[in-house]
Amino acid sequence: MNEIDPARRFSPEAVRKFDGPADGDTPGGMNDVARQVASQYRRDTMSPIMVSGVLRMVEFGLLLLSGLGVYFHYVGFFNYLAWQYPLTIAAASFLAVVLLDVTDCYQIVALMRPIANFSRILLAWAGAFALMALTAFATKMSEDYSRLLFGTWFVIGFVLIFGLRLVMSKLIRAWARDGRMERRAVIVGGGKAAEVLIRSVEKQPYNDIRICGIFDDRGDKRSPPIVAGYPKLGTISELIEFARIARIDMLIVSLPLTAESRVLQLLKKLWVLPVDIRLSAHSNALQFRPRAYSYIGAVPMLDIFDKPINDWDSVAKRAFDIVFSLIGIVVFSPVMLATAIAIKLDSKGPVLFHQKRHGFNNEIIEVYKFRSMYTDKADPTAKQTVTKNDPRVTRVGRFIRKTSIDELPQFFNSLLGSLSLVGPRPHAIAAQSHNLLYNEVVDGYFARHKVKPGVTGWAQINGWRGEMDTNEKIRMRTEYDLYYIENWSLLFDLRILFLTPIRLLNTENAY
């Protein structure tokens, strides 16, 4: 498998389209071929870290259940239960998973080659038993254990682990072929440097990188339209649009460190994207300490930006959202019911107001709110901000906006997954300040969308809520949102969540 999978390259027909301008090219937008390529990668992929993490839990469960099964078979379920047996079985199962991890048996390369790693798997499982026996001897409890019982479990446990890994190797290979488990990368910068990088990546055994294309601002003389079989899909500005459509995991900047000004110029444009950004270091004369690098196989990379709230962090945050959203819906259901009745009695029209806003990675999402304006005066685009004593706002609307009760239906957004409970507040897609869109006021504004937006956020509990009538307020809100993204943790989310009701008592900017 040292050869790159031909399916990872583009077809000759697709490459030929780059010999001249593609039909349908439009100024300031992607060409048709780039858009077609991006649409092929809309589907999310399975993270190798998540796959190996789930396998750890499954193997621990298999070992634990098989050990308990053997114990109950020999002893009987309703007979005398010696507490040390289940405890020892659980400890040995956990220890086995730790030893398999230490010996790199959960690396994707190892999972794809279980037969080649047979001895390592056996050694880790035997090591768990050896440490268990040593502990029993040291605590003078070895005479209490049945050698037949643990000998039987040793054989059954190993058969289960190795059998599962044979199945996993076939699944991983199938997922890699189908494009369901891969890391999708875009090369930033073309020419000879990109070609050397691509060749180096392709040489890596069991490579899980799928190169989706190349983007470069330079013309065809300095940056050929096709490099190592991959087409140049467009400029750096078009890459932003490409990455909004395609589920890209990584941007690899193929420029030398000596081109400092150009590297900084590129990073200033690209850092707003929710992806890992790496600077290729395979051809740089300047060498750093080994810890400064991450690697694709043996190809060194300098980590510039990491995708925030990724892999297991995203699982933990999603679980947090589901649990606390359900609690919020139950606790505030009487308030929501009373609000719905008050809105119906106060003015004609629906109880709920649906508004399109920017979500994660600039995707358009629909956010729920209690209707606070007269139906015929509603502004779904939020082009005109709500001001103090705004005549468009109803009597009930004025109260629920002041108290933020109008936001309570967003618990359902959080439960369904379009919002998170805590994150940067989503703004309406046409929200403006002095006839300028927010992204025109703040450089890097869209970096707020590197994570899922929230029902409440760090900016809101620090006083930056309500009317954004000055450019400074927009800048400060963005600054607080970026601080949240860079410093996220579950404890930080809990802190914001529990401070929200207290800080909302300050209604100075809420109209």
Side-chain angles (χ1 to χ4, degrees), residues 59 71 79 100 174 321 423 428 483:
E59 287 191 337
Y71 172 72
N79 292 337
L100 286 167
D321 289 342
Y483 176 87

Side-chain angles (χ1 to χ4, degrees), residues 35 37-46 179-180 182-186 210-212 239-251 273-276 307 359-365 417 449-450 452:
R35 194 174 296 279
V37 171
S39 67
Q40 294 174 2
Y41 298 112
R42 282 182 179 273
R43 187 174 65 174
D44 281 321
T45 58
M46 300 166 64
R180 285 192 286 173
E182 60 188 7
R183 287 184 293 168
R184 295 171 182 164
V186 165
R210 183 181 292 271
I211 298 173
C212 301
L239 169 56
I240 304 292
E241 186 179 352
F242 181 90
R244 298 295 189 198
I245 299 173
R247 298 294 188 182
I248 300 299
D249 300 299
M250 185 186 307
L251 302 181
L273 294 173
V275 296
D276 294 331
K307 181 180 179 180
F360 171 71
N361 199 22
N362 259 31
E363 293 174 352
I364 304 301
I365 60 172
H449 304 154
K450 291 168 73 170
K452 198 179 289 186

Side-chain angles (χ1 to χ4, degrees), residues 331-356:
V331 170
F332 290 103
S333 56
V335 177
M336 288 193 277
L337 180 61
T339 302
I341 294 171
I343 290 171
K344 270 295 184 185
L345 294 174
D346 185 50
S347 61
K348 294 179 181 180
V351 169
L352 291 179
F353 177 66
H354 297 220
Q355 188 175 59
K356 294 189 184 300

Side-chain angles (χ1 to χ4, degrees), residues 4 8 182-187 201 206-212 230 250 252 296-297:
I4 194 72
R8 293 178 185 271
E182 60 188 7
R183 287 184 293 168
R184 295 171 182 164
V186 165
I187 307 297
V201 171
Y206 303 97
N207 181 23
D208 66 339
I209 295 291
R210 183 181 292 271
I211 298 173
C212 301
Y230 295 93
M250 185 186 307
I252 304 176
I296 296 175

Side-chain angles (χ1 to χ4, degrees), residues 228-450:
Y230 295 93
K232 185 169 66 176
L233 296 176
T235 64
I236 304 305
S237 296
E238 290 163 353
L239 169 56
I240 304 292
E241 186 179 352
F242 181 90
R244 298 295 189 198
I245 299 173
R247 298 294 188 182
I248 300 299
D249 300 299
M250 185 186 307
L251 302 181
I252 304 176
V253 179
S254 178
L255 294 172
L257 287 173
T258 51
E260 180 182 353
S261 60
R262 188 155 175 251
V263 170
L264 291 175
Q265 185 181 15
L266 288 175
L267 295 178
K268 188 177 180 181
K269 291 182 179 179
L270 297 174
W271 76 286
V272 301
L273 294 173
V275 296
D276 294 331
I277 299 180
R278 303 288 180 255
L279 180 61
S280 171
H282 73 290
S283 60
N284 285 319
L286 182 61
Q287 297 294 313
F288 296 91
R289 291 183 178 181
R291 289 183 182 179
Y293 298 106
S294 61
Y295 291 86
I296 296 175
V299 180
M301 302 280 170
L302 287 171
D303 297 352
I304 306 300
F305 293 110
D306 289 324
K307 181 180 179 180
I309 316 182
N310 200 19
D311 294 325
W312 287 106
D313 285 344
S314 65
V315 174
K317 188 165 176 61
R318 182 68 188 124
F320 179 95
D321 289 342
I322 291 172
V323 170
F324 282 95
S325 294
L326 287 171
I327 292 172
I329 289 169
V330 171
V331 170
F332 290 103
S333 56
V335 177
M336 288 193 277
L337 180 61
T339 302
I341 294 171
I343 290 171
K344 270 295 184 185
L345 294 174
D346 185 50
S347 61
K348 294 179 181 180
V351 169
L352 291 179
F353 177 66
H354 297 220
Q355 188 175 59
K356 294 189 184 300
R357 299 189 179 189
H358 283 297
F360 171 71
N361 199 22
N362 259 31
E363 293 174 352
I364 304 301
I365 60 172
E366 196 169 67
V367 171
Y368 310 137
K369 297 181 69 176
F370 280 123
R371 181 175 60 83
S372 58
M373 293 185 179
Y374 293 103
T375 304
D376 57 341
K377 297 179 181 178
D379 179 15
T381 64
K383 190 172 182 179
Q384 182 183 347
T385 58
V386 177
T387 57
K388 193 171 184 178
N389 300 319
D390 197 313
R392 298 174 298 166
V393 180
T394 65
R395 289 176 300 171
V396 170
R398 194 163 288 114
F399 174 76
I400 63 175
R401 290 179 73 93
K402 273 252 182 214
T403 55
S404 292
I405 291 174
D406 63 323
E407 311 283 0
L408 289 180
Q410 288 168 31
F411 278 120
F412 292 96
N413 280 111
S414 176
L415 184 64
L416 296 172
S418 58
L419 291 182
S420 181
L421 264 183
V422 181
R425 284 291 296 152
H427 295 147
I429 55 178
Q432 295 184 351
S433 171
H434 302 103
N435 296 319
L436 289 175
L437 294 173
Y438 286 173
N439 64 294
E440 296 173 318
V441 174
V442 181
D443 190 25
Y445 168 82
F446 284 131
R448 302 171 71 254
H449 304 154
K450 291 168 73 170

